[in-house]
Every structure is written in C-alpha cells, then in structure tokens.
Amino acid sequence: MAKSKFEYVRDFEADDTCLPHCWVVVRLDGRNFHRFAEKHNFAKPNDSRALHLMTKCAQTVMEELEDIVIAYGQSDEYSFVFRQKSNWFKRRASKFMTLVASQFASSYVFYWRDYFEDQPLLYPPGFDGRVVLYPSNQTLKDYLSWRQADCHINNLYNTVFWALIQQSGLTPVQAQERLKGTVTADKNEILFSEFHINYNDEPQMYRKGTVLVWQKVDEVRTQEVRLPAEMEGKKMTVTRTRTRPLPLYCDLIGDAFWKEHPDILAEEE
Ligand code: DGT
Ligand code: MG
Ligand code: MG
Ligand code: MG
Ligand code: MG
C-alpha cells in the first residue's frame, strides 16, 4: 500500500521498549481512594468486600492478558509481574501499563455488584499505573518484599488506630497523638493489653496482602453425550485440569515461598 505524505508523523512516537531480560512490573493504585472508601462506606480499617473485588479484578487481568507470572495486592494497589522474556507487544511499556490499568478498571466496575450488593457504585473509579523494571531475581523479590512490608506496617498502624477510635472513643487526632513515636512492639502491646487483640490472629489477608499465582485445578462440568447414538442426550461429567490464578495469603519475604514455587523465577539464566 502506498504511504501517505503524513506517514512521517509516526517517527514522533517515543520508543518505550522495556529493557530486555528484566522483570516488568506494573503497579496500579486507586486514584484518591481515601475519598472513594469514605463515599462507599468501606469498613475500617479493612473492607473484605473491597479487597476481594480488587483480587477478582487482578485475576481477570491475569486471565485476559499475557505473560503475568505473579501478582501481589494490598489496600488499593496491585502489582503485576510479567515474565522476564515476555515479548508481548514488543515489550512496550505503554502497552503493558495501559492494558493492565484499563482491564483492571473496567473489571472493577463490571464486578462491583458481586461484592457490594447493597452499596451502589456512586461514581467511576480510576487507577494510576507505573512500570518498573527489575534486572534480577533478587531485586524482584526485594520489590515484592517492600510492598508486603508496607502492607504490614500500614495494617498494624491502622488496626491500633481504629481500635483506639472505635473501641476507646478517641478522636482521630487523639489516636494519632497516642501512636506518635511508637514502634511495632508498642503497638502490639496496646492491641493486646487494651483490646485483647493478638495481632497475629488477625486475618492473613489483612496482614500479608494477597498473592496470586497460577495453580492447577480440576474443573468438573457436566456435558451432554453426543456419541454413540444410543447414549445421546445422557449427561456425563468431564474433568479438565486447568491453571488459574488463585490467591494465597502468605509470606513473600522469606525463602519458603520461593522454594515452594521454584517455577516462578525459573526463567533467569
Ligand atoms: P492517591 O493514590 O494518591 O490517588 O490517593 P489515595 O487516597 O488513594 O491514597 P493511597 O493510595 O496512598 O491510600 C489508599 C487509601 O485507600 C487510604 O486512604 C485508605 C483507603 N483504603 C484502601 N483500602 C481500604 C479499606 O479496606 N478500608 C478503608 N476504610 N479504606 C481503605
Ligand atoms: Mg498515593
Ligand atoms: Mg491510592
Ligand atoms: Mg495506595
Ligand atoms: Mg488497535
């Protein structure tokens, strides 16, 4: 096909190819979810409906897009890790980022009602995205550890903060004052002595966040028999093994997880 004289404008497109052999991480974060959570009456400090909806959206992203080997989510964020040698869309960062963000955001609206039955969605939520490249297994593991440590620090703080408000009647300013300068041990102690809460008994999903990895599952369904003719119309069950992105609420910081799932990082030479 003959090229038009306008063809030259293509050269203005910036090259945003991700460096070869690096892990490509796309992290999404809810836009102004402080307000979104208030308006939609999220439970404090953790709303399990909201967290499960986020995970449903992340599972949809993993199923619909290519080459994502693991995802990790907490609060209003999710990180997706594309395999090192992925050549999806020629490794263009803008393709990775926009496809993840748009697939995630449309899923959030699409599946909202399945999780928030009595709470209407009041306005369309948005998610920002960024791409970060990690050149080695160690830096990738440290990235995921960083997000999980962030989850732990915020969740411990929020758990005490909201206990002080909801159970001891402090104002948010008073609760903030009370927690100023406290370290982890102090917060655990306040929870235990004042509220009889053993932090380690809090749900794993809140303390650790959600890890999505591909796992084999047997899916059973019934289908009608076509042949032979004398069996026609009869139903039988068929079991198929598929891989699905399923949630784990586990530690990513130690070695155990990576030893149990050696395939995730196996690509590196
Ligand atoms: P951004 O990301 O700069 O546009 O602004 P935000 O407001 O989204 O800030 P961010 O992402 O640092 O913090 C997440 C906010 O989302 C934080 O204010 C608490 C809220 N949030 C996330 N998950 C929950 C939840 O399960 N329950 C409640 N009540 N709030 C939540
Ligand atoms: Mg932010
Ligand atoms: Mg946010
Ligand atoms: Mg956030
Ligand atoms: Mg097109």
Side-chain angles (χ1 to χ4, degrees):
M1 204 168 64
K3 289 187 173 181
S4 80
K5 67 173 182 175
F6 306 116
E7 202 68 23
Y8 79 97
V9 297
R10 211 185 247 288
D11 297 338
F12 285 62
E13 282 183 30
D15 176 24
D16 64 347
T17 310
C18 293
L19 200 67
H21 295 205
C22 289
W23 296 104
V24 179
V25 174
V26 175
R27 182 168 78 254
L28 299 184
D29 185 282
R31 177 173 165 261
N32 201 356
F33 260 48
H34 184 75
R35 173 169 181 263
F36 188 86
E38 287 290 331
K39 295 278 184 203
H40 292 87
N41 300 306
F42 281 19
K44 289 165 176 162
N46 290 291
D47 190 307
S48 74
R49 300 167 301 176
L51 296 170
H52 283 117
L53 172 58
M54 290 288 289
T55 291
K56 175 67 183 178
C57 298
Q59 288 171 310
T60 308
V61 166
M62 289 176 78
E63 299 259 18
E64 294 292 328
L65 309 188
E66 302 290 320
D67 289 350
I68 298 169
V69 292
I70 183 171
Y72 173 75
Q74 52 125 338
S75 182
D76 68 339
E77 67 169 65
Y78 243 101
S79 298
F80 299 88
V81 181
F82 289 83
R83 62 188 189 85
Q84 279 179 300
K85 304 251 170 96
S86 175
N87 199 32
W88 198 49
F89 284 101
K90 303 256 189 316
R91 293 178 76 81
R92 287 167 63 188
S94 54
K95 292 280 187 186
F96 284 107
M97 188 165 43
T98 57
L99 286 164
V100 171
S102 63
Q103 193 73 49
F104 193 96
S106 68
S107 302
Y108 199 92
V109 174
F110 189 79
Y111 292 115
W112 173 268
R113 273 212 55 170
D114 295 350
Y115 295 84
F116 287 88
E117 283 152 26
D118 320 314
Q119 171 61 58
L121 180 59
L122 301 173
Y123 62 90
F127 295 85
D128 73 48
R130 73 190 73 195
V131 172
V132 191
L133 302 180
Y134 289 101
S136 63
N137 286 356
Q138 191 58 51
T139 49
L140 177 70
K141 285 193 278 186
D142 287 347
Y143 168 79
L144 293 166
S145 298
W146 173 52
R147 297 324 303 148
Q148 189 163 60
D150 183 87
C151 174
H152 165 71
I153 292 163
N154 289 333
N155 189 61
L156 177 59
Y157 183 94
N158 291 337
T159 304
V160 196
F161 180 80
W162 287 106
L164 289 168
I165 293 168
Q166 291 165 345
Q167 297 184 48
S168 293
L170 268 61
T171 65
V173 173
Q174 286 170 332
Q176 203 182 346
E177 277 299 313
R178 176 78 199 281
L179 292 175
K180 204 173 269 177
T182 57
V183 296
T184 298
D186 303 327
K187 295 187 188 79
N188 277 313
E189 181 55 29
I190 297 174
L191 277 178
F192 195 70
S193 59
E194 291 183 33
F195 305 107
H196 312 291
I197 295 173
N198 185 340
Y199 183 71
N200 287 327
D201 295 339
E202 290 291 291
Q204 286 263 99
M205 182 171 72
Y206 299 165
R207 291 185 292 119
K208 302 282 185 206
T210 304
V211 181
L212 286 174
V213 289
W214 292 96
Q215 286 170 282
K216 281 203 171 71
V217 282
D218 287 336
E219 288 182 354
V220 183
R221 42 185 204 115
T222 54
Q223 82 183 24
E224 233 163 70
V225 183
R226 298 214 174 272
L227 288 167
E230 64 272 17
M231 296 262 295
E232 205 147 321
K234 291 231 174 77
K235 295 228 158 77
M236 62 184 277
T237 59
V238 187
T239 307
R240 280 213 282 178
T241 305
R242 289 175 171 274
T243 59
R244 297 281 186 203
L246 296 182
L248 299 171
Y249 310 106
C250 63
D251 177 77
L252 285 177
I253 297 174
D255 283 336
F257 172 83
W258 302 104
K259 290 212 171 103
E260 270 170 50
H261 302 272
D263 43 312
I264 297 173
L265 299 176
E267 207 175 33
E268 194 177 56
E269 290 140 338

